[in-house]
Amino acid sequence: MGQHNNTPRGVISHARLAWLALPLVVALGATNALGASLQELRQAGSIRVAVANEVPYGYLDDNGQAQGVGPEVARHVLAELGLDNIEWMSTSFGDLIPGLEEGRFDMAAAEMAIRPERCERVLFSTPNTSYGEGLLVKATNPLDIRSYQAFAERDDIKVAVLQGATQLDILRELGVPDTRLTSVTANDAAIEALLSGRADAYAGTGLTVSQLGEQSPDVEVAEGFEDPKVDGEIVRSWGGFAFPNDAETLRDAFNEALTDYRHTQAWEDILTHHGFTQDDVLNAFRFDTEWLCGRQE
């Protein structure tokens, strides 16, 4: 079934023109079989789902309830699979893949970017979101930092990145030396890194940076930010749900329900409620997981 025939009604007015300009790849097929992994989870009566406490992707609120794009979409999809009892688990972003590999989680709902090196370690769902990059700087941007490339060209500035995040790879691909990189274990630690002088900017997704910019008057989103380009292409990420490598039947069943849900207004409303733009919504349909896992970087 062609994606353009099932676009959420909220984006129909833009879809035809947008898809003429984007190389749409046919979505991954899903199997109708429900394998042992799903059956075992149903018998156990619950599923363990990890988040990395990143707003707006997936986090636990003050009451311990999971919020954000990943958890809200996951609740609907898992309910379709008969899994209403979710045990939410919070960990660091860098621990998501090891936790899946070690069997501590059954799935991750953190909108982790689908990248080839990660596909070698875990299974990804079909893309659920798409998002671009951003930069957090000190208020008034005293060092006039407006791009990732600046850290490759200038030796007087350092940039902080989330441990295990895609931004580390992007910066290295742009030629930023490790001596100008510093890591933080959580997004909330980015503000302290800037104010303490450990870093002069924080590289993250546009949504993450925007959320952090609202938390303190001493930092702000870099205005006039230049989107990073690698091999002439603007860098954009596609986020999905991740599963252990031996959970193919669970992933496939999840994919089937997620594919249906992505063609509803309810799915689109979740994304836009959390700050995703119409362009982000349309881009979520641009590539499939097979292409994203196999692309050359």
Side-chain angles (χ1 to χ4, degrees):
M1 184 182 299
Q3 296 284 14
H4 59 280
N5 293 328
N6 295 283
T7 310
R9 61 178 172 85
V11 299
I12 287 176
S13 58
H14 305 286
R16 292 183 180 177
L17 289 176
W19 272 307
L20 286 174
L22 298 177
L24 181 64
V25 182
V26 179
L28 280 175
T31 177
N32 289 323
L34 296 180
S37 296
L38 178 56
Q39 297 294 353
E40 289 170 359
L41 289 170
R42 284 172 169 168
Q43 291 170 4
S46 66
I47 181 171
R48 300 166 301 167
V49 182
V51 297
N53 266 339
E54 289 186 286
V55 180
Y57 304 105
Y59 61 99
L60 301 184
D61 63 20
D62 293 339
N63 298 317
Q65 297 299 309
Q67 308 292 347
V69 174
E72 290 174 33
V73 171
R75 279 194 191 94
H76 172 86
V77 175
L78 291 173
E80 291 290 308
L81 301 182
L83 296 170
D84 295 299
N85 187 12
I86 303 173
E87 181 184 352
W88 297 103
M89 308 180 77
S90 176
T91 188
S92 66
F93 186 88
D95 189 49
L96 289 172
I97 289 180
L100 291 167
E101 291 177 320
E102 295 164 12
R104 289 183 277 121
F105 323 128
D106 299 307
M107 137 183 193
E111 296 308 305
M112 187 188 302
I114 303 170
R115 295 174 65 87
E117 66 275 14
R118 291 173 178 169
C119 297
E120 295 177 0
R121 301 177 63 183
V122 296
L123 299 176
F124 279 100
S125 70
T126 194
N128 185 54
T129 54
S130 180
Y131 43 86
E133 297 298 305
L135 200 60
L136 188 75
V137 294
K138 293 178 184 177
T140 73
N141 198 1
L143 296 175
D144 193 31
I145 307 170
R146 303 185 189 279
S147 69
Y148 288 2
Q149 187 66 40
F151 299 97
E153 299 170 348
R154 295 171 55 177
D155 60 9
D156 63 326
I157 52 176
K158 294 184 67 173
V159 60
V161 293
L162 179 66
Q163 191 174 63
T166 304
Q167 285 71 32
L168 179 61
D169 299 321
I170 297 171
L171 288 159
R172 284 173 171 164
E173 287 169 356
L174 292 173
V176 180
D178 286 351
T179 53
R180 295 175 201 161
L181 299 170
T182 187
S183 65
V184 295
T185 57
N187 281 315
D188 287 346
I191 295 175
E192 188 277 332
L194 266 62
L195 300 184
S196 68
R198 286 180 53 217
D200 301 297
Y202 178 66
T205 68
L207 287 166
T208 295
V209 167
S210 179
Q211 292 282 344
L212 290 172
E214 296 175 358
Q215 294 182 23
S216 169
D218 297 320
V219 296
E220 65 181 42
V221 177
E223 293 185 5
F225 175 73
E226 299 174 20
D227 291 315
K229 290 184 178 180
V230 175
D231 296 328
E233 295 289 331
I234 292 177
V235 175
R236 174 171 278 273
S237 297
W238 280 262
F241 300 91
F243 303 83
N245 256 333
D246 61 353
E248 188 171 359
T249 53
L250 172 61
R251 190 277 310 272
D252 289 349
F254 188 93
N255 259 359
E256 186 173 10
L258 175 59
T259 297
D260 288 342
Y261 194 45
R262 289 200 313 164
H263 298 144
T264 68
Q265 184 66 35
W267 171 83
E268 182 187 344
D269 288 345
I270 289 175
L271 269 64
T272 56
H273 172 74
H274 287 288
F276 288 83
T277 65
Q278 286 293 313
D279 187 53
D280 292 332
V281 171
L282 282 169
N283 266 292
F285 291 87
R286 183 175 181 179
F287 297 118
D288 69 6
T289 302
E290 184 178 8
W291 188 90
L292 292 167
C293 285
R295 61 179 167 166
Q296 299 296 315
E297 298 190 311

